[in-house]
Amino acid sequence: MFEKILIANRGEIALRVVRACREMGIQSVAVHSTSDVDAMHVRMADESICIGPPPGAQSYLSIPAIVSACEITGAQAVHPGYGFLSENAKFAQILEDHELKFIGPSAEHIRLMGDKITAKDTMKGLGVPCVPGSDGGMETLDEATALGRQIGYPVIVKATAGGGGRGMKLAKSAGEMESAFHTARSEAKAAFGNDEVYVEKYLGKPRHVEVQVFGDGKGKAVHLGERDCSLQRRHQKVLEEAPGPTIDATTRARIGKTCAEAVARINYAGAGTVEFLYEDGEFYFIEMNTRLQVEHPVTESIYGVDLVREQIRVAAGEPISFSQKSLQIDGHSIEIRINAEKLPLFSPSPGRITQYHAPGGLGVRMDSAIYDGYSIPPHYDSLIGKLIVHGRDRPEALARLGRALSELIVDGIDTNVPLFDALLREPAIQSGNYNIHWLEKWLSKNFE
Ligand code: MV4
């Protein structure tokens, strides 16, 4: 096992990794920018090192700074968290070249899934159900138009270098294809330096259902069910839950097995998420994320598994500590993302937290790196914490979420907490009857 792990991240996820390290008897190294000297992840880690000025590109995204920090501190492995360098194949490769272990999948698997056409082609070949659409990229407008006619409108044009909602254009009819195709291409070129696009049948009212998989890198893999992350605003998740309100045990076992077998076949190592659109009882693969996700705690809650600990074990060459058969779902879990932002426009709201009180009690977990008197710097994303509740069933989890929210105090800055108070009063949230468009529609009526 590793003796020392460097955490190439900040905020709540860096603290999450520090916690796993401490329970495993592993020394942790925090890295930080000059604006993060007083950050909680720096205080909680066994040691820390400054890696540069506040902008991400010069600190948390700087590969030379992080490799140097490993050499100075003697860390043997790097946990990238989520965001920043977590899905950067070049970073994984450079660590390997320096005989440092990247706690995550191989550079090859990151690259494979980072190219959305290759990802889809690979998953299709492994028996994972995909959205109907082009096999590979669309070189010309004529090709895209012919495909649109074949699969039927509406269709969506997506950038192969995109993902997470960036670089997508909807064509509702043949007449809209020319504009969708050219706009998608030029936006993809500008954003990613790669103008390759592909075309898919557009699904009108799906849910976002993602399957958590975990591989040992040696041909074994398990699944840990699904999360429903349909409640999103501008491609940012707002609330996630597990199990999915519309997924039964038989369906879960079937799609889970398909995903686990697929990643086992490619010797995938560590945590991964297979993203689907789910509509009318069918799963359609869209993307695979090769990192630990923000919303991993809802899966941990219902399965009683520490996913970061498993990531570290597998990276060190140890087996996954549980079998598929031993995994049993216990109850229901819901996570809300608490952001430093001002409603109704969701504008960033950095500044000093004058008072903070975290909720507690049975079934309540607060993953956050804020504290009384902490100043949220303006340089990073607005996530300041995740409130995760667990109950014996969905109604109990919802009641517990309302109760926990009533205890939470974050003063001195604006947060999106009032949004959740309002959401909990909605029948669609109480019943679980929502899709990927529900939140934006509701916001346009009730907030903006
Ligand atoms: C789609 C789609 C409808 N049909 N693909 C957006 C993010 C990226 N991961 C995939 N996305 C979508 N792909 C087809 N063929 C609708 C979306 C989409 C969406 C997906 C998940 C969660 C929220 C969303 C909001 C708008 C659009």
Side-chain angles (χ1 to χ4, degrees):
M1 183 46 68
F2 308 119
E3 281 149 28
K4 197 185 267 196
I5 291 174
L6 182 139
I7 304 154
N9 215 301
R10 65 184 301 283
E12 68 86 19
I13 194 61
L15 192 49
R16 171 71 188 82
V17 179
V18 169
R19 286 172 170 154
C21 289
R22 187 140 308 147
E23 289 181 16
M24 296 174 82
I26 300 168
Q27 294 289 108
S28 56
V29 181
V31 297
H32 66 87
S33 68
T34 52
S35 60
D36 272 347
V37 245
D38 297 322
M40 190 57 98
H41 76 282
V42 175
R43 290 208 208 173
M44 289 287 167
D46 293 303
E47 59 187 291
S48 65
I49 181 165
C50 183
I51 52 166
Q58 292 171 68
S59 49
Y60 300 103
L61 282 167
S62 166
I63 297 174
I66 287 162
V67 171
S68 305
C70 289
E71 288 182 347
I72 291 164
T73 58
Q76 300 144 333
V78 176
H79 195 299
Y82 52 70
F84 292 123
L85 296 168
S86 61
E87 292 181 285
N88 187 313
K90 197 176 108 192
F91 179 55
Q93 186 62 58
I94 288 172
L95 288 183
E96 205 175 297
D97 296 344
H98 286 76
E99 286 171 38
L100 294 163
K101 191 76 203 153
F102 176 76
I103 302 174
S106 67
E108 181 200 354
H109 286 141
I110 298 173
R111 206 170 286 116
L112 181 75
M113 297 304 172
D115 181 297
K116 304 305 162 187
I117 293 177
T118 320
K120 205 175 157 184
D121 192 50
T122 305
M123 293 305 256
K124 195 173 164 189
L126 291 164
V128 177
C130 294
V131 191
S134 58
D135 283 318
M138 295 279 94
E139 297 286 326
T140 64
L141 173 61
D142 284 352
E143 231 185 313
T145 308
L147 194 93
R149 197 178 310 115
Q150 196 193 315
I151 63 176
Y153 288 87
V155 302
I156 188 161
V157 185
K158 296 184 174 182
T160 188
R166 298 172 313 153
M168 304 190 325
K169 281 285 167 289
L170 177 63
K172 291 200 208 78
S173 61
E176 293 183 12
M177 182 54 111
E178 180 169 2
S179 148
F181 181 79
H182 291 301
T183 312
R185 267 200 110 124
S186 60
E187 285 185 11
K189 180 87 199 164
F192 318 113
N194 174 354
D195 69 356
E196 191 175 34
V197 297
Y198 61 107
V199 174
E200 280 181 351
K201 178 91 187 157
Y202 178 75
L203 302 175
K205 44 173 180 44
R207 300 179 72 115
H208 172 120
V209 177
E210 55 181 40
V211 175
Q212 177 71 56
V213 291
F214 207 99
D216 71 353
K218 301 167 187 170
K220 277 207 201 86
V222 295
H223 75 84
L224 295 97
E226 77 289 346
R227 298 181 283 261
D228 191 314
C229 310
S230 300
L231 287 177
Q232 305 198 8
R233 177 184 174 272
R234 300 194 180 171
H235 302 298
Q236 293 289 342
K237 292 168 186 161
V238 168
L239 178 152
E240 307 97 346
E241 58 181 314
T246 59
I247 309 296
D248 64 30
T250 311
T251 307
R252 173 173 311 113
R254 192 169 46 86
I255 194 67
K257 185 167 189 273
T258 301
C259 293
E261 284 177 357
V263 299
R265 285 258 295 278
I266 59 172
N267 294 330
Y268 186 83
T273 300
V274 188
E275 278 189 18
F276 293 95
L277 297 177
Y278 181 72
E279 188 174 81
D280 299 329
E282 300 289 338
F283 286 92
Y284 302 94
F285 171 79
I286 46 172
E287 290 170 24
M288 177 164 178
N289 299 317
T290 55
R291 61 171 190 279
L292 182 75
Q293 295 205 233
V294 177
E295 61 271 23
H296 75 276
V298 295
T299 300
E300 294 187 323
S301 295
I302 63 167
Y303 284 101
V305 159
D306 180 336
L307 288 171
V308 178
R309 174 173 181 263
E310 297 303 322
Q311 286 187 295
I312 295 169
R313 284 175 60 91
V314 162
E318 293 187 14
I320 302 170
S321 74
F322 50 84
S323 65
Q324 186 69 60
K325 248 187 83 195
S326 72
L327 291 173
Q328 288 281 337
I329 294 185
D330 171 26
H332 197 93
S333 180
I334 305 174
E335 171 182 283
I336 58 165
R337 297 192 187 192
I338 299 168
N339 294 331
E341 55 193 17
K342 191 174 167 62
L343 299 175
L345 296 176
F346 296 85
S347 21
S349 169
R352 186 166 177 274
I353 294 167
T354 53
Q355 201 188 144
Y356 172 55
H357 176 76
L362 181 63
V364 175
R365 166 176 172 183
M366 183 81 186
D367 275 20
S368 175
I370 65 168
Y371 56 88
D372 274 326
Y374 175 64
S375 280
I376 298 159
H379 312 283
Y380 311 103
D381 73 16
S382 62
L383 185 78
I384 57 165
K386 309 183 302 204
L387 171 56
I388 305 107
V389 294
H390 181 244
R392 287 173 298 179
D393 53 24
R394 192 170 184 276
E396 190 170 274
L398 283 165
R400 194 155 279 157
L401 178 57
R403 188 272 292 173
L405 276 171
S406 76
E407 294 177 13
L408 173 67
I409 301 170
V410 182
D411 283 345
I413 57 156
D414 286 298
T415 74
N416 61 345
V417 167
L419 168 69
F420 297 111
D421 295 328
L423 274 178
L424 279 177
R425 284 183 238 116
E426 283 299 315
I429 301 300
Q430 289 293 329
S431 67
N433 183 21
Y434 55 82
N435 63 34
I436 61 167
H437 302 298
W438 186 90
L439 180 62
E440 300 230 15
K441 273 194 204 129
W442 180 84
L443 285 170
S444 66
K445 270 186 291 185
N446 296 275
F447 269 77
E448 279 144 45

